Amino acid sequence: MKSLSGNLLVAQSGGPTPVINAGLAGVLSAALQFEDNIEEIYGAINGVEGILNEDFIDLAAESQQTVRLLSSTPGAALGSCRYKLKSEQDLARILEVFKAHNIRYFHYIGGNDSQDSSNAIAEYCAQNGYEVRVIGVPKTIDNDLVLTDHCPGYGSTIKYIATTVRELACDCASLGRNDLVTIIEVMGRSAGWIAAGASLAKRRGNAEDAPHIVLIPEVPFRRDAFVNAVKDVLSVQKHCVVVAAEGIVDEAGNYLGANTAALDAFGHPRLGGVCEYLKNVVEESFSGVKTRTCRPGHIQRTATHCASKTDSDESFMAGVAAVKAAVAGESGKMVILVREEKDRYGVSPGLAPLSEIANGVKKFPESWVGEGGMTIGYQFVRYALPLIQGSVAGTDESGVPKMAVLRRVPVERLCPPYKK
Amino acid sequence: MKSLSGNLLVAQSGGPTPVINAGLAGVLSAALQFEDNIEEIYGAINGVEGILNEDFIDLAAESQQTVRLLSSTPGAALGSCRYKLKSEQDLARILEVFKAHNIRYFHYIGGNDSQDSSNAIAEYCAQNGYEVRVIGVPKTIDNDLVLTDHCPGYGSTIKYIATTVRELACDCASLGRNDLVTIIEVMGRSAGWIAAGASLAKRRGNAEDAPHIVLIPEVPFRRDAFVNAVKDVLSVQKHCVVVAAEGIVDEAGNYLGANTAALDAFGHPRLGGVCEYLKNVVEESFSGVKTRTCRPGHIQRTATHCASKTDSDESFMAGVAAVKAAVAGESGKMVILVREEKDRYGVSPGLAPLSEIANGVKKFPESWVGEGGMTIGYQFVRYALPLIQGSVAGTDESGVPKMAVLRRVPVERLCPPYKK
């Protein structure tokens, strides 16, 4: 294997997760160990936009204290973006910037779209005879990346959701007089992984525990079946907890969250949200039943105070593995998590081609959905339970978590400004 | 002081808090210490409804493990109710049940309305020559009880809100391209205590930290002033975090959450919620500004995984103090928290007449609201910061918090069924 010397660039992209910065900390930690290969360690601000704009910071200048705090800091510490590289002009600019700064290692921490960009960069540089090793670091709360057993970020989000549902259920069970339906809307536009995660709130063997009904986008919503399911739960106990993915659709494939029956002051359809839709269904179908709705929204992807240690450690490990693989000569790949075939849970890092990651979406397996389509099977629990184990010890700052704030020491610009 | 022997009854009422069961644990702990005065320790299921229905359980039969878990279990472990005692018939029934079970100590864990019931019970028993010592235990996330420095439950709720806002702010700051307004709707129908608590997310001396705008019911909403405040924030940084109490009103006193411009399929006004209202205001006032909304709803009062140790300890202490005061001969009072006049924060338990508690509501002090009415002053931070210190060590059960589940060993019924 030919040794390659130069500078390393790391960037973050897409929706942040509770542990996205643990992946960054992993990259930093490993990069410092390869001083024969890696000279400077740079971060691009706001993903590929930071490369286009040559907006780099010197990550080696950050304090150890800050780096240690990264693993308990949500949001993307380097800033994120939603920019999709498309034009050859963009790619040529990236090559120009990489050459100017002698970038030989590039790690993009992100999901499908981000790894698509990684792939385009890797291919363009190779076609133009510039050697740079591109290894992606996986990240998404949606758990929809193919080839990897699961994604860093997912375990922490479902630990928060499961914790919250179990806690809410205690409150729901408190008020015994009226029937009560509690609806919690969670993230998941196209896949039910997050909603399914709520089912980890159930104690083993306690079918009557919340959540009683889980609605995922993979199973089209049928009003009658839903109303009957609620009725069945309320016939046994006085409260019913429903967890619904934001992306659930009717049998024609239309989002339920887009409520065309309600118009705003300008006559535009009002996006009432899935929980408002379901609340209306319950109120129209039952009399004397109270409803409550919770829509934590982006809190789901930022609740690092409730992050899973397993997840955080795996995110860090993925960052380390990306640098190691690149130094060892790999490129055009993303780190994946491979579940070990052992009695006890464990994962080891593997690699998969960026091109295959970029174009796939992992749906929730049909066979893991319970009969009737509104509960989650034991196969999922077996799969997901190890991912939520352990807690991340954050640092307290007057009663709230202390956050890493990067100094952001700028790297001198060497190229002319980019004109798109 | 005349010694009084008999049985103790404890019950819970109103909206549960993250630490309401710590108060119950405090009552149990103290009750066991006074074996000369207190024979049996009973719990009424679902508050005063459990007294009317003679639905008692034997709390001494619960395991020590369960009692220890109570302090990290949200919801009302004994069940709660919203029943207001009104009729003399109800009071006569309660006296009948008290006499049958020789109840000589009664502790109601609850807010204003619950202490109103406590007061009615205390007065009715006294008028009818039955000696029972009634000492209330305070509980409300709303912090609106008068005479007490603050209320058990409040500190934990604002610790969760402040933690969540600080975490969300990291995510908001990540996405640098577009201006972004994030709106978080929190509880508080008539007082701004909870919304104000979000301001503890700011680091000391960092005025630019989230939350940038806090809207409370005490300050009527003025659309122009709000839009200007958002504009001011966005002129300095690319994201603006707004925390709004659900109960904010316009200058005519109408709830903003009741959106009459949107009608549902039946032509009824749709309760869009405050965050949807503010989202519309932002979208109508700015072009190219993205908005996000979070409505954690009842999660705010159940997030015991993020409870404050100070708050939990004070709730326990209030339960202990209630029993001690009753054994010492007090009655017709509620335990209050008295802040000590010392350099270091501390509270000691005091007592206040139930009649005065029942009829008061503590508003957020006008002088603690910042200029312009949309920020919270340092006086509040000085008041509230001690209340969110420390964490409650819960017990882990496969990655989610383990909850206390009472065995609920029933006490034999001695009275005829109650016919209302």
Side-chain angles (χ1 to χ4, degrees):
Chain A
M1 178 48 53
K2 206 182 69 180
S3 154
L4 179 67
S5 281
N7 299 327
L8 179 146
L9 181 68
V10 57
Q12 296 172 310
S13 174
T17 82
V19 298
I20 185 173
N21 295 319
L24 174 61
V27 168
L28 296 185
S29 160
L32 287 169
Q33 289 166 32
F34 293 103
E35 49 191 22
D36 291 347
N37 305 85
I38 297 167
E39 290 152 17
E40 304 294 341
I41 306 171
Y42 296 154
I45 298 299
N46 292 120
V48 290
E49 291 186 344
I51 313 180
L52 297 172
N53 300 325
E54 209 191 348
D55 193 2
F56 289 178
I57 62 168
D58 180 1
L59 281 168
E62 300 295 337
S63 74
Q64 296 172 73
Q65 194 181 37
T66 299
V67 173
R68 198 173 50 198
L69 273 177
L70 279 175
S71 291
S72 53
T73 300
L78 291 172
S80 183
C81 74
R82 295 252 178 226
Y83 190 85
K84 280 200 189 188
L85 286 182
K86 275 160 272 174
S87 69
E88 178 153 350
Q89 197 195 346
D90 278 351
L91 292 166
R93 168 64 174 187
I94 286 175
L95 180 55
E96 177 190 22
V97 172
F98 275 14
K99 280 182 176 170
H101 289 278
N102 193 31
I103 302 298
R104 298 294 178 174
Y105 297 93
F106 176 55
H107 300 290
Y108 211 19
I109 306 173
N112 316 48
D113 289 340
S114 318
Q115 303 311 341
D116 199 23
S117 295
S118 291
N119 193 37
I121 292 170
E123 288 181 353
Y124 187 84
C125 289
Q127 284 157 15
N128 287 276
Y130 180 78
E131 190 175 8
V132 54
R133 294 185 184 157
V134 179
I135 300 287
V137 179
K139 168 253 34 144
T140 170
I141 63 166
D142 295 325
N143 203 38
D144 61 354
L145 296 184
V146 293
L147 302 181
T148 185
D149 180 76
H150 56 278
C151 301
Y154 175 61
S156 294
T157 290
I158 62 173
K159 184 184 179 84
Y160 172 74
I161 298 286
T163 296
T164 294
V165 166
R166 185 176 276 192
E167 290 181 332
L168 267 172
C170 291
D171 190 280
C172 299
S174 295
L175 295 157
R177 197 175 176 79
N178 292 104
D179 284 345
L180 173 67
V181 176
T182 302
I183 302 153
I184 304 145
E185 178 180 328
V186 301
M187 284 178 156
R189 273 270 148 196
S190 55
W193 290 104
I194 295 175
S199 64
L200 302 179
K202 281 180 188 285
R203 290 166 300 163
R204 187 186 292 242
N206 283 266
E208 74 280 14
D209 279 357
H212 307 102
I213 295 174
V214 177
L215 303 175
I216 64 175
E218 287 86 345
V219 180
F221 179 79
R222 289 186 303 121
R223 185 182 169 119
D224 288 354
F226 171 72
V227 169
N228 284 332
V230 172
K231 196 186 290 175
D232 286 349
V233 175
L234 292 180
S235 71
V236 178
Q237 51 191 337
K238 296 188 84 59
H239 75 285
C240 173
V241 175
V242 178
V243 174
E246 61 183 336
I248 55 172
V249 294
D250 62 21
E251 291 176 281
N254 302 310
Y255 284 120
L256 297 185
N259 187 346
T260 51
L263 300 178
D264 68 14
F266 298 89
H268 304 135
R270 194 180 161 86
L271 283 171
V274 160
C275 60
E276 294 302 317
Y277 178 90
L278 295 173
K279 176 185 165 78
N280 285 345
V281 169
V282 171
E283 289 176 355
E284 286 161 20
S285 307
F286 299 91
S287 65
V289 170
K290 279 186 69 171
T291 55
R292 285 178 183 169
T293 58
C294 300
R295 200 163 41 72
H298 286 77
I299 297 172
Q300 294 164 76
R301 74 181 200 198
T302 63
T304 306
H305 76 270
C306 192
S308 149
K309 184 171 190 322
T310 302
D311 185 36
S312 181
D313 289 351
E314 289 176 357
S315 186
F316 187 92
M317 181 184 77
V320 169
V323 175
K324 283 188 176 169
V327 170
E330 296 282 356
S331 189
K333 294 180 178 160
M334 186 191 79
V335 172
I336 57 171
L337 301 177
V338 181
R339 193 179 294 233
E340 293 163 0
E341 299 284 345
K342 286 183 188 167
D343 286 348
R344 201 155 157 269
Y345 171 79
V347 292
S348 50
L351 292 171
L354 286 171
S355 55
E356 292 181 28
I357 299 289
N359 297 314
V361 171
K362 185 165 70 178
K363 289 274 175 187
F364 191 82
E366 213 174 296
S367 61
W368 291 7
V369 179
E371 209 181 332
M374 285 179 275
T375 55
I376 302 299
Y378 70 92
Q379 303 96 327
F380 172 75
V381 175
R382 202 161 53 186
Y383 164 82
L385 203 55
L387 315 185
I388 67 165
Q389 300 308 308
S391 300
V392 171
T395 303
D396 181 88
E397 182 178 62
S398 298
V400 282
K402 187 174 168 77
M403 300 301 178
V405 181
L406 297 179
R407 286 174 63 207
R408 296 199 173 189
V409 177
V411 174
E412 195 188 348
R413 286 193 164 85
L414 304 172
C415 300
Y418 183 47
K419 291 192 197 78
K420 272 177 275 194
Chain B
M1 177 49 53
K2 205 182 68 183
S3 155
L4 179 67
S5 282
N7 300 328
L8 178 146
L9 181 68
V10 58
Q12 296 172 310
S13 174
T17 82
V19 299
I20 184 173
N21 295 320
L24 174 59
V27 169
L28 297 185
S29 161
L32 288 169
Q33 290 167 31
F34 293 102
E35 49 193 21
D36 290 347
N37 307 83
I38 298 167
E39 289 151 19
E40 304 295 339
I41 307 170
Y42 296 153
I45 299 299
N46 292 121
V48 289
E49 291 186 345
I51 312 179
L52 296 173
N53 299 325
E54 209 192 350
D55 193 3
F56 289 177
I57 62 169
D58 180 0
L59 280 168
E62 301 294 336
S63 73
Q64 295 173 74
Q65 194 180 38
T66 299
V67 173
R68 198 174 49 198
L69 272 177
L70 279 175
S71 292
S72 54
T73 299
L78 290 173
S80 183
C81 74
R82 295 251 178 229
Y83 189 85
K84 281 200 190 189
L85 287 183
K86 275 161 277 177
S87 67
E88 177 153 348
Q89 197 194 347
D90 279 350
L91 291 166
R93 167 65 174 186
I94 286 176
L95 179 57
E96 177 189 22
V97 173
F98 275 14
K99 281 182 175 170
H101 290 276
N102 193 30
I103 302 298
R104 298 293 177 175
Y105 296 92
F106 175 57
H107 301 289
Y108 212 19
I109 306 174
N112 317 47
D113 288 340
S114 318
Q115 303 313 339
D116 198 22
S117 294
S118 292
N119 193 38
I121 292 170
E123 287 181 354
Y124 187 84
C125 291
Q127 284 157 15
N128 287 277
Y130 181 77
E131 189 175 9
V132 54
R133 295 186 184 155
V134 179
I135 300 287
V137 180
K139 169 258 25 149
T140 170
I141 63 167
D142 295 325
N143 203 39
D144 60 355
L145 296 185
V146 292
L147 301 182
T148 184
D149 179 77
H150 56 277
C151 301
Y154 175 61
S156 294
T157 290
I158 62 172
K159 184 184 178 85
Y160 172 74
I161 298 286
T163 296
T164 294
V165 166
R166 185 178 276 193
E167 290 181 332
L168 266 172
C170 291
D171 190 280
C172 298
S174 295
L175 294 157
R177 199 176 174 78
N178 293 104
D179 283 344
L180 173 67
V181 176
T182 302
I183 301 153
I184 304 145
E185 179 180 328
V186 301
M187 285 178 155
R189 273 271 147 197
S190 56
W193 288 104
I194 295 175
S199 65
L200 302 179
K202 283 181 188 282
R203 290 167 298 165
R204 187 186 290 243
N206 283 267
E208 75 278 14
D209 280 357
H212 307 100
I213 296 173
V214 176
L215 304 174
I216 64 176
E218 287 86 346
V219 180
F221 179 78
R222 289 186 303 121
R223 185 182 169 119
D224 288 353
F226 172 70
V227 169
N228 284 332
V230 172
K231 196 187 289 175
D232 286 349
V233 174
L234 293 179
S235 71
V236 177
Q237 51 192 339
K238 296 188 85 59
H239 75 284
C240 174
V241 175
V242 179
V243 174
E246 61 184 335
I248 55 172
V249 293
D250 62 20
E251 291 176 281
N254 302 309
Y255 283 120
L256 296 185
N259 187 345
T260 51
L263 300 178
D264 68 14
F266 297 90
H268 304 134
R270 193 179 162 86
L271 282 171
V274 160
C275 60
E276 294 302 316
Y277 178 90
L278 295 173
K279 176 185 165 80
N280 286 344
V281 169
V282 170
E283 289 176 355
E284 287 162 21
S285 307
F286 298 91
S287 64
V289 170
K290 280 186 67 171
T291 55
R292 285 178 183 168
T293 59
C294 300
R295 200 165 39 74
H298 286 77
I299 298 172
Q300 293 164 77
R301 73 182 200 197
T302 64
T304 306
H305 75 271
C306 192
S308 150
K309 183 170 189 323
T310 302
D311 185 36
S312 181
D313 289 351
E314 289 175 357
S315 185
F316 187 93
M317 180 184 78
V320 170
V323 175
K324 283 189 176 170
V327 170
E330 297 281 356
S331 188
K333 294 180 179 162
M334 186 191 79
V335 172
I336 56 170
L337 301 177
V338 181
R339 194 178 294 232
E340 293 163 0
E341 300 284 344
K342 285 184 189 168
D343 287 349
R344 201 156 155 267
Y345 171 80
V347 291
S348 51
L351 292 170
L354 285 171
S355 56
E356 291 181 29
I357 299 289
N359 297 314
V361 170
K362 185 166 69 179
K363 289 274 176 187
F364 191 82
E366 214 174 297
S367 62
W368 291 6
V369 179
E371 209 182 331
M374 285 180 274
T375 55
I376 302 299
Y378 70 92
Q379 302 95 328
F380 172 74
V381 175
R382 202 161 54 186
Y383 164 81
L385 203 56
L387 316 184
I388 67 165
Q389 300 308 308
S391 301
V392 171
T395 303
D396 181 89
E397 182 178 62
S398 297
V400 282
K402 188 174 169 77
M403 300 303 177
V405 181
L406 296 180
R407 287 173 63 206
R408 295 197 173 189
V409 176
V411 174
E412 195 189 347
R413 285 193 165 84
L414 304 173
C415 301
Y418 183 48
K419 291 194 196 77
K420 270 178 279 195

